[in-house]
Amino acid sequence: MPRCRTDCIEKPLSASFGKLGRCVGRNPWWFLVIPLFLSAGLGGGFYFLPQREGSDIEKYFTPNNGPAKTERDFVKKYFPTNDSRAFSSSRLYTEGTYAAFIAVVEERSILQTELFKAIIKLDKEIKTLKYDSFAYADLCAVTAGTCVSSQVLTAINYTASRIEETEFTYPVYNSQFVGSELGGVHLHENGTVRNATALRVFYYLKEDNEAYRLKSLQWLNIFIEEFPKIVQNMSAEELKISYFTSVSRQQEFDGNSKSVIPLFAVTYFLTIFFSIISCQRFDCVRNKFWVAAFGVLSAGLAVLSGFGLLLYCGVPFVITVANAPFLILGLCTQ
């Protein structure tokens, strides 16, 4: 019975690698110098790393053609927004571009004249913040010809002395929803507010065209930088004030990513050290110290060349790919 051949792939591959090995053995310097120069040239792509860094949560961490994005485009088509003339938060098909602060007081109601004086003063200082020559009034979302503002502050006409005499119904007052602004609410039997422990104020900005969206984002950066200073200078120590913006989550993510990057240097060093030491033997025949060392060097050149080439080609560098060298090191040292 004739035997079945099973080396139809192995044999030609073995012969090809044998020829490659003989070529490397006859010309070692070419195979050492050329990869070094090639990797150095391709590694120049890391010059573009600051421009290519991509950390947008929605863009890089969600499916490009996911159902959520498709359905949002459908809503955008049939329910478009107009932030310059007829803004409505209920028609937003994104989170929106906004800043907000929450003022909280403990053990008593926040609906007090002296507390609202501090809140109204804080509101005025926020509205004076500027990016370049653009103030809040230039970038705010507009409805009925005026900037969208707090329903509670509008109800008292920004006059602190009127807060104690105004009887708010909850969650709707004068056909306006105030349930998102008043917190910790206790009601009288007739449905009016007896006391509240928190007030939230929103500052919506225009985002319905790219020019306004970019300016609004810059204004939010100014808000994030200046707001803590404004709160620090406030005289109402009873108020506990915190803030949030539509870019706070993204900035938190960026900050965490940058804080982790220095730790990668330590983990890379430990991985390389372990990869080389684990291949060392006291038996000079079985010792593979130099094989492991050049394997690590090969992995490093591969990462430098591959990432550099992709950066030259304009591919975004997302922080999650920083884990790739660990996998490459493992394969190369094997």
Side-chain angles (χ1 to χ4, degrees):
M1 181 177 178
R3 296 179 62 183
C4 180
R5 291 185 58 190
T6 59
D7 60 351
C8 56
I9 297 177
E10 179 187 354
K11 191 172 182 179
L13 281 177
S14 180
S16 299
F17 282 122
K19 291 178 182 178
L20 176 62
R22 285 191 292 273
C23 182
V24 173
R26 293 192 188 102
N27 309 281
W29 290 108
W30 287 106
F31 286 91
L32 180 62
V33 175
I34 290 178
L36 290 175
F37 277 101
L38 183 62
S39 296
L42 292 175
F46 278 87
Y47 173 80
F48 301 102
L49 180 60
Q51 306 168 29
R52 304 278 194 264
E53 284 184 319
S55 59
D56 188 281
I57 296 174
E58 180 179 325
K59 184 176 181 181
Y60 297 112
F61 296 90
T62 59
N64 288 331
N65 299 312
K69 291 183 178 179
T70 303
E71 292 166 6
R72 184 177 63 186
D73 290 339
F74 178 84
V75 173
K76 182 178 179 179
K77 178 180 178 181
Y78 291 101
F79 296 89
T81 59
N82 187 343
D83 298 342
S84 300
R85 297 182 62 184
F87 174 84
S88 173
S89 59
S90 61
R91 289 176 67 94
L92 288 173
Y93 44 79
T94 65
E95 187 179 11
T97 302
Y98 69 89
F101 73 82
I102 299 177
V104 179
V105 65
E106 296 178 354
E107 299 180 358
R108 65 174 180 141
S109 176
I110 199 172
L111 305 178
Q112 304 288 329
T113 300
E114 66 272 20
L115 297 179
F116 259 73
K117 284 181 179 178
I119 292 172
I120 291 171
K121 182 180 178 182
L122 175 60
D123 174 79
K124 289 180 179 178
E125 292 197 34
I126 290 172
K127 291 178 178 178
T128 59
L129 295 177
K130 287 186 177 182
Y131 160 66
D132 199 5
S133 58
F134 295 93
Y136 171 75
D138 302 314
L139 301 172
C140 65
V142 174
T143 184
T146 60
C147 289
V148 175
S149 57
S150 165
Q151 298 299 332
V152 174
L153 296 180
T154 302
I156 62 173
N157 198 26
Y158 289 84
T159 305
S161 58
R162 294 180 58 181
I163 189 62
E164 295 184 23
E165 61 190 47
T166 302
E167 293 188 347
F168 288 97
T169 53
Y170 187 86
V172 177
Y173 174 74
N174 284 351
S175 301
Q176 300 295 330
F177 183 70
V178 296
S180 61
E181 296 186 18
L182 290 175
V185 176
H186 295 85
L187 302 178
H188 292 290
E189 292 183 359
N190 62 357
T192 59
V193 176
R194 184 173 77 238
N195 59 59
T197 58
L199 174 71
R200 179 165 58 175
V201 180
F202 287 94
Y203 300 89
Y204 283 103
L205 304 172
K206 297 173 185 175
E207 63 166 358
D208 52 357
N209 67 64
E210 188 64 15
Y212 272 122
R213 189 183 73 84
L214 293 176
K215 292 184 179 70
S216 296
L217 291 177
Q218 293 297 333
W219 188 90
L220 287 179
N221 290 332
I222 299 296
F223 173 89
I224 292 171
E225 181 181 342
E226 296 296 329
F227 186 83
K229 301 176 186 176
I230 296 173
V231 173
Q232 192 173 6
N233 294 328
M234 287 182 60
S235 57
E237 297 181 357
E238 289 181 87
L239 289 173
K240 294 182 179 179
I241 299 176
S242 59
Y243 70 94
F244 185 81
T245 74
S246 55
V247 298
S248 293
R249 189 181 299 108
Q250 181 66 52
Q251 290 197 343
E252 185 91 6
F253 179 80
D254 293 342
N256 288 338
S257 300
K258 291 177 181 178
S259 65
V260 168
I261 286 176
L263 300 178
F264 276 114
V266 178
T267 53
Y268 287 152
F269 171 78
L270 292 176
T271 304
I272 292 170
F273 180 78
F274 175 79
S275 300
I276 295 176
I277 294 300
S278 63
C279 294
Q280 190 172 10
R281 299 291 184 273
F282 290 109
D283 184 352
C284 61
V285 176
R286 299 173 59 196
N287 184 26
K288 295 183 179 180
F289 177 85
W290 290 110
V291 173
F294 278 96
V296 169
L297 177 62
S298 176
L301 294 177
V303 171
L304 183 67
S305 303
F307 283 22
L309 177 61
L310 292 174
L311 289 170
Y312 271 129
C313 295
V315 178
F317 182 88
V318 184
I319 189 61
T320 51
V321 303
N323 296 318
F326 293 108
L327 304 176
I328 298 171
L329 276 172
L331 292 172
C332 287
T333 52
Q334 278 183 353

